[in-house]
Amino acid sequence: MKPNITSTAVRRGLRAGALAVLLGSMQGGLVAMPASAVEGSVTAEVFVSCGDGGTLTVSMRNGTSVMQGVVFDVDKGDDGTLDFGDGAEVVPRGRVDLPVTQRGDGVYRVTVSTESGQPILNKVVEIECAVPAERYVLTAYDGTIWRVSDTEIHALSYEEWAAADFPQPEPAPTDYVRYPWSSTISAVTFFGQTRDRWVWRHITYSEWSRAGFPSPRSAGWIEGSVFYQWGTSDQIFVQDVGGVRHALSYEEWRDSGFEPFERRANQGFVRLTWDSSIAFMADLPTGQGGPIGYSRWRDEGFPQQATAPRFAGDHVWRNYGSLDIWYAGPTTNRRVTAQEWAVMGRPTPELRGVPAHPGDTKNCNSFPSQAAAQAAFAYYFEAYGDVFRLDANSNGVACEDFTY
C-alpha cells in the first residue's frame, strides 16, 4: 500500500537551489539547470524530469519589491517554432513554478524575458527518460526503507525488505525545515519533483537525534500548517504541526505563497473600552465567551483585540434601594464607576430585588414613630410610590402631622 503522500507544495519556502541539488542527486534523470542570465534580481531556472511522460518546469524568482511581468517560450527541437508559451507575474520577493507536462523526450529551448523584452534565460535542455528502475532509499530520522519508482512510493516492512534480498538503500533526499518563530522541525523527503511525490513528517526530538541533529533551515510554508483569521481583526495566523501559533507579517504570508486561510468570523478576541480584561469570544453575535489570562493570549500569538463598550447579552444592573451600578459580562462582573457607566453610554440599569407590592395595608398609626413611617415610605416609593398614602401633601415627608 502506498504511504499517505501530500499533494500540497512547499511553495515559496523551499529554496530553488536546495531543491536543485536534491533533484540532481537522484538517479533516473532529474537534472537542475542553473540560470543562464539575470536581469536585476529576477532569475529563472529550468528543471526536467521523467514524470508525466517528460516534464519541464520553469522556476522564476523575483528578488525585487515590485510585481514583475515575465513571458516564457518553449521550443521543442530548437527549430525556431514556438510550441508552448505563456505570461506570468512573479510576486515581489516570491517564486513561481510553471510546469509544462507531457512534452516527451527531446531537446527544448527555453527562453524567459520581461514583458519589455529584456532577456532573463535562454537555455537548451534535454529530456531523456529511460525506463525507470526501482531504487531503495532510507529516511535517516526513522530508519524506514522505501521502494521508489515512477509508479510507486512504498514504505517496506522487514518481511518485504527480506523478500527483496536486503537491497542496500541509499540516503533519502530529505530536507529539514522549521518556521523562524518555532522550534518544531519537519522533514520533507523528495521522491520526485511533483508535489504528490514529497513525503512530510513532523519529527520528534529522538528522530532528529537519530538523523544526526541536522540544522533545519527556515521555510515560509510547511505541510500540516493551519492558516486562519479571527473575526475581530485582519491579522492572519498560522499554527504549525507542533501547535505553535504565530501572527504573520505581510512578508511572512507572501513567503508562504499567500496561503489561503480559514475565516473564523464568529470568533475572536475583544476588550471592553473601559476595562483591560481580554475575552475570547466563542460566538460573537450571542456574546458567548470568557476572560483569558496573559499565558493564553501569548500562546495564541498575541492577537489584536477589537474594542467595544459592551458585549451582546451582557447585563448592567443595580440592587433595589442602592445607587451602585454593576456590570456582568464575559470579561468581568463588578461594580462600575460613574465614569465607566458613562463610557458604556449610560444604559438604564436593570433593577433587581424589587419587593412584592404590599398593598394599602398600613397607615400612620401602624408605625411606632415618624422615622419608622418614613423608612417604610422610602422603601416602597421607588417601585410603587406612596403605597400606604402616608404623604398627604406630597412633599416627601411621611406622617408629618401625626402625633407619636
Side-chain angles (χ1 to χ4, degrees):
M1 180 178 295
K2 289 185 180 181
N4 182 17
I5 302 173
T6 179
S7 61
T8 310
V10 179
R11 293 184 172 88
R12 281 47 173 189
L14 290 177
R15 296 175 182 166
L19 182 58
V21 171
L22 290 170
L23 296 177
S25 70
M26 297 176 63
Q27 298 177 2
L30 293 180
V31 181
M33 300 297 179
S36 61
V38 177
E39 188 226 359
S41 55
V42 181
T43 61
E45 294 175 286
V46 180
F47 300 93
V48 296
S49 77
C50 292
D52 297 320
T55 301
L56 182 150
T57 301
V58 182
S59 178
M60 290 172 288
R61 279 188 177 273
N62 180 9
T64 70
S65 60
V66 298
M67 193 77 74
Q68 293 288 319
V70 296
V71 293
F72 70 97
D73 296 328
V74 179
D75 175 8
K76 184 175 182 179
D78 193 18
D79 57 7
T81 301
L82 175 63
D83 293 287
F84 185 89
D86 203 354
E89 285 189 330
V90 189
V91 298
R93 301 192 182 280
R95 167 180 163 178
V96 63
D97 296 329
L98 304 170
V100 185
T101 61
Q102 297 181 341
R103 310 310 297 173
D105 289 358
V107 174
Y108 296 83
R109 179 173 293 276
V110 182
T111 57
V112 181
S113 62
T114 65
E115 290 179 319
S116 62
Q118 285 291 322
I120 298 175
L121 176 72
N122 188 331
K123 187 74 178 179
V124 175
V125 296
E126 183 176 3
I127 299 177
E128 187 175 7
C129 297
V131 177
E134 287 185 343
R135 56 195 178 88
Y136 296 85
V137 297
L138 173 73
T139 44
Y141 55 81
D142 64 354
T144 298
I145 298 175
W146 303 77
R147 184 172 60 226
V148 181
S149 70
D150 267 11
T151 59
E152 180 186 43
I153 300 174
H154 178 65
L156 295 178
S157 66
Y158 179 84
E159 291 75 17
E160 289 171 322
W161 185 40
D165 200 22
F166 301 106
Q168 181 64 36
E170 61 187 82
T174 300
D175 203 1
Y176 296 86
V177 296
R178 68 175 180 86
Y179 288 119
W181 39 265
S182 175
S183 61
T184 303
I185 299 175
S186 293
V188 53
T189 301
F190 302 98
F191 290 125
Q193 186 178 347
T194 56
R195 296 168 183 172
D196 61 347
R197 294 179 65 85
W198 298 350
V199 173
W200 285 88
R201 174 74 169 268
H202 165 44
I203 61 173
T204 64
Y205 180 85
S206 61
E207 289 173 329
W208 185 41
S209 171
R210 182 171 183 171
F213 298 107
S215 297
R217 64 173 179 78
S218 295
W221 179 89
I222 295 173
E223 172 70 27
S225 301
V226 178
F227 289 73
Y228 58 95
Q229 185 182 67
W230 298 113
T232 46
S233 81
D234 59 1
Q235 288 179 299
I236 299 172
F237 289 83
V238 59
Q239 178 177 314
D240 72 7
V241 292
V244 181
R245 302 174 181 91
H246 175 72
L248 294 172
S249 66
Y250 175 82
E251 291 75 16
E252 289 171 329
W253 185 40
R254 178 201 63 205
D255 291 344
S256 77
F258 296 107
E259 178 71 11
F261 54 86
E262 172 193 356
R263 175 71 174 168
R264 300 175 180 177
N266 288 341
Q267 298 181 326
F269 298 83
V270 184
R271 179 177 57 81
L272 292 169
T273 52
W274 49 270
D275 187 89
S276 61
S277 301
I278 300 173
F280 171 71
M281 304 303 294
D283 188 14
L284 288 164
T286 61
Q288 299 299 310
I292 63 170
Y294 177 84
S295 59
R296 168 75 185 276
W297 185 45
R298 177 199 62 211
D299 293 344
E300 291 287 351
F302 299 108
Q304 295 172 354
Q305 313 103 51
T307 56
R310 296 186 62 183
F311 290 100
D314 62 9
H315 297 279
V316 178
W317 56 280
R318 67 178 180 86
N319 288 316
Y320 185 80
S322 172
L323 296 179
D324 291 337
I325 297 174
W326 292 75
Y327 173 85
T331 57
T332 187
N333 187 347
R334 65 175 177 84
R335 186 172 58 188
V336 297
T337 66
Q339 182 179 3
E340 291 170 333
W341 180 56
V343 174
M344 289 185 214
R346 295 186 173 86
T348 301
E350 169 193 349
L351 194 59
R352 297 182 178 180
V354 178
H357 195 296
D360 187 5
T361 57
K362 297 181 184 297
N363 51 41
C364 287
N365 63 9
S366 302
F367 302 98
S369 66
Q370 191 277 330
Q374 186 69 35
F377 169 83
Y379 180 71
Y380 288 104
F381 189 85
E382 181 178 3
Y384 309 112
D386 186 7
V387 65
F388 300 133
R389 291 184 292 179
L390 305 178
D391 183 12
N393 59 5
S394 300
N395 68 349
V397 179
C399 301
E400 60 183 327
D401 296 327
F402 188 83
T403 302
Y404 287 99

